[in-house]
Amino acid sequence: MTLPSNPTDFTLADARAAVSSKKISSRELTGAFVKAVEAARPLNAFVTETPDRALEMAAASDARIAKGDIRPLEGLPLAIKDLFCTKGVRTTAGSNILSNFVPPYESTVSQNLWDAGAVMLGKTNMDEFAMGSSNETSNFGPVTSPWRARASNAKMVPGGSSGGSAASVAANLCLAATGTDTGGSIRQPAAVTGTVGIKPTYGRCSRWGIVAFASSLDQAGPMTRTVRDAAILLKAMASVDPKDSTSVDMPVPDYEAGLEAGVKGLRIGIPKEYRVDGAPPEIDALWSQGAEWLRAQGAEIVEVSLPHTKYALPTYYIVAPAEASSNLARYDGVRYGHRAKDARDITDLYEKSRGEGFGSEVKRRILIGTYVLSSGYYDAYYLRAQKLRTLIARDFTQAFQKCDVLLTPATPGPAFAIGEKTADPVSMYLNDVFTVTVNLAGLPGLSVPAGLTAGGLPLGLQLIGKAFDEATVLRVGRAVETAANFTAKPERWWRAA
Amino acid sequence: MSVDKDTVRRIAKLARLALEEERVEPMVQELNGILNWVEQLKEVNVDGVAPLTSVVEQRLKMRDDVVTDGNVADALMVNAPGGEDHFFIVPKVVE
């Protein structure tokens, strides 16, 4: 194996091999990433950097490696989305209301990573409470994508809500990062930053200790530079957790094992409803190219139908705000979080603390959620949306009788400029048109970088699998990755500043 | 269906969310934009369709009803914006 000369260019798999065989110490590797994170501050990808903790954790890993006691992610530096509670390290969820919150406990997913030997570089920026598709709703300012369109200096969004994680992975500020995905928040930013992201089946990763947005949709997953790295990190993140009653009692398979098995004999479904009006022709072309790549490797391509696809986004924008309005009721200015000064009485304290603590997108969703759950409107909106959700899930069940995995575009277009879509909420929501169906049905979805637009911006393809069949999704993703041979990297313009 | 200013004020009250008066009218526009867009769900016949309550077929897990955690009052108070000893301080609730 030949390793890149710069350790920050390592994949997670490269670094695992190099660290465990003592070609590089974890301290040296971690030190290189700490410097990269500092040099990339113009991207605003991190809300909190934890260099001291990183170097301490790296030293502890080096001591274990010296003794031959090596765990699966020993000494490997990662970035953690600021939605995962980290004990003793501020966790903001991108919100003013949690801007001083220091959890006294650790999320199960991040604990699993530390138990596997990983090193924490810091907490990544994100849309407030994961509500956004461009990382522009963060209380800590937008993240700037490392990618720029050809011959342009315009600042582009990295997608969202896991925009800081996506930007960090794309800019080689960490080996890999964690994300969460409620309607596309891993896969959409991965697609527009040329990185890999998988949202596993609902219940695969514990939600315990992850700041809740919409509990029937939220799932954690890895964001990486390669499909193999996603397989490695997903295995480490996933677990059966008694602290989350929706965590599923199924052993976590070794996702790496079958990665190179190829797609020969697999049936790949192409859902015809994923062709949307007004999408750039590049999206359709890439999608056809993806099908051709898989056909050439021995897969059978079958057309399938998911007839309720067009109703997925509006269904989501009833269900998710409804759950959010309930989940976010806990921020009351009493037990933790921002508290308004000079409140007249307890109700005034709640209203002012929440009014000052939440940003405008979060307020909008709390109000929509409260409205659709309110007396007289529940049946017309919420109950109808839950029925639509049944129909959307049924579409997938029927499609999977004809195929093993679905291939779709990951996003309706490439990254856009910061500020371009903030004026109209609905036009922002449309960025998740291809990803949101998967959350509503609880299925695993993977975004793989597949090409560049004529303007030089990344595009991804999405693979959707049957419940708990992440292994096949990753295997097909590996086949797409091999054929696409996506090697483009953003220029490191932020270092010149 | 669409909302007016009074409805927005009412749901803001239900949500315990202070909304500045100058934000009420823009919020009416924004919420109606979203509500008009979700109207399309009315096209679908949902007669006889059960609402989806769980995406993964799994029986709710049960465990023994025993204490597995506790005695963490100090940790729980660390983030309280108004706290004294093991009490959360709030404005007077009962006269």
Side-chain angles (χ1 to χ4, degrees), chain A residues 181 198-207 216-222 234 238-239 244 246-248 250 255 438-439 441-446 464-471 473, chain B residues 55-57:
Chain A
D181 189 316
I198 182 168
K199 180 203 89 73
T201 312
Y202 184 79
R204 184 67 288 182
C205 289
S206 168
R207 291 181 296 108
S216 78
L217 302 160
D218 298 343
Q219 257 298 292
L234 179 58
S239 63
D244 174 2
T246 62
S247 145
V248 171
M250 283 174 82
Y255 298 114
V438 175
N439 300 78
L443 302 172
L446 168 73
I464 303 168
K466 298 173 186 170
F468 299 103
D469 195 14
E470 284 83 2
V473 169
Chain B
V55 285
V56 172
E57 284 173 39

Side-chain angles (χ1 to χ4, degrees), chain A residues 102 247 311 339 351 364 390, chain B residues 30 43 50 61 79 89:
Chain A
V102 180
S247 145
Y311 302 109
R339 180 188 184 113
E351 291 178 349
R364 202 146 47 220
T390 297
Chain B
E30 290 160 19
E43 300 163 18
K61 291 188 213 175
N79 285 289
I89 311 286

Side-chain angles (χ1 to χ4, degrees), chain A residues 100-102 104 202 241 244-245 247-249 310-311 313-315 317-318 333-337 339 345-347 349-351 354-355 358 363-364 366-368 370-371 377 380-381 383-384 386-391 393 426 429 440-442 468, chain B residues 1-3 7-8 10-20 23 27 30-31 33-35 37-46 49-53 55-56 58-61 75-82 88-93:
Chain A
N100 295 312
F101 180 63
V102 180
Y202 184 79
D241 184 10
D244 174 2
S245 65
S247 145
V248 171
D249 278 317
K310 68 177 274 209
Y311 302 109
L313 258 185
T315 297
Y317 276 96
I318 292 174
V334 173
R335 292 157 302 154
Y336 44 77
R339 180 188 184 113
D345 52 34
I346 187 76
T347 304
L349 176 74
Y350 297 152
E351 291 178 349
R354 292 162 63 78
F358 293 133
K363 285 180 185 166
R364 202 146 47 220
I366 288 175
L367 292 178
I368 282 280
T370 304
Y371 181 67
Y377 299 98
Y381 288 109
L383 191 64
R384 175 168 284 267
Q386 290 288 62
K387 289 178 179 176
L388 256 301
R389 205 174 163 185
T390 297
L391 295 174
V426 173
Y429 298 168
L440 290 168
F468 299 103
Chain B
M1 272 176 273
S2 61
V3 295
T7 310
V8 166
R10 183 176 64 83
I11 57 178
K13 188 76 192 170
L14 284 174
R16 298 290 182 269
L17 200 58
L19 202 59
E20 300 89 349
R23 277 291 299 145
M27 190 62 88
E30 290 160 19
L31 297 195
I34 298 167
L35 290 169
W37 174 62
V38 303
E39 281 297 293
Q40 56 180 298
L41 298 184
K42 295 219 168 101
E43 300 163 18
V44 185
N45 181 357
V46 292
V49 177
L52 188 142
T53 50
V55 285
V56 172
Q58 185 181 231
R59 198 175 298 175
L60 190 61
K61 291 188 213 175
L76 287 176
M77 298 307 296
V78 166
N79 285 289
F88 297 111
I89 311 286
V90 294
K92 199 170 178 181
V93 175

Side-chain angles (χ1 to χ4, degrees), chain A residues 274-284 411-414 421 430 433-434:
Chain A
Y274 277 58
R275 249 172 262 284
V276 295
D277 295 341
E282 283 167 318
I283 298 286
D284 257 2
T411 59
K421 292 195 182 179
L430 291 173
V433 66
F434 296 138

Side-chain angles (χ1 to χ4, degrees), chain A residues 8-219:
Chain A
T8 57
D9 296 341
F10 287 2
T11 64
L12 188 67
D14 286 342
R16 178 179 63 177
V19 169
S20 59
S21 64
K22 302 187 198 171
K23 286 201 178 77
I24 187 171
S25 69
S26 175
R27 262 172 300 191
E28 197 185 329
L29 179 67
T30 303
F33 279 111
V34 165
K35 283 206 188 85
V37 169
E38 272 175 29
R41 283 186 188 145
L43 300 181
N44 200 28
F46 282 76
V47 171
T48 305
E49 296 171 14
T50 57
D52 297 342
R53 178 177 288 228
L55 293 166
E56 260 170 51
M57 292 171 98
S61 279
D62 284 336
R64 285 184 81 119
I65 292 162
K67 287 189 283 181
D69 181 12
I70 302 172
R71 297 167 292 178
L73 299 177
E74 197 67 63
L76 305 183
L78 306 178
I80 304 296
K81 186 179 185 181
D82 211 15
L83 201 64
F84 294 82
C85 286
T86 42
K87 188 173 181 176
V89 174
R90 184 173 76 135
T91 299
T92 69
S95 182
N96 179 40
I97 212 160
L98 285 176
S99 56
N100 295 312
F101 180 63
V102 180
Y105 51 82
E106 187 78 30
S107 82
T108 297
V109 164
S110 52
Q111 187 63 52
N112 288 346
L113 296 176
W114 317 140
D115 289 348
V119 165
M120 177 164 76
L121 289 165
K123 306 294 293 290
T124 56
N125 201 346
M126 52 178 286
D127 280 300
E128 185 178 7
F129 283 102
M131 297 180 191
S133 307
S134 63
N135 216 115
E136 292 172 284
T137 73
S138 170
N139 179 58
F140 303 93
V143 174
T144 302
S145 176
W147 289 91
R148 288 169 163 183
R150 231 166 251 142
S152 166
N153 287 341
K155 289 182 171 185
M156 309 303 283
V157 304
S161 69
S162 310
S165 289
S168 299
V169 174
N172 293 10
L173 312 182
C174 55
L175 289 169
T178 63
T180 63
D181 189 316
T182 303
S185 285
I186 288 175
R187 292 159 288 153
Q188 183 260 12
V192 302
T193 58
T195 56
V196 175
I198 182 168
K199 180 203 89 73
T201 312
Y202 184 79
R204 184 67 288 182
C205 289
S206 168
R207 291 181 296 108
W208 195 84
I210 299 173
V211 177
F213 162 14
S215 299
S216 78
L217 302 160
D218 298 343
Q219 257 298 292

Side-chain angles (χ1 to χ4, degrees), chain A residues 470-481:
Chain A
E470 284 83 2
T472 306
V473 169
L474 288 161
R475 179 176 145 202
V476 179
R478 174 69 188 129
V480 170
E481 180 181 53

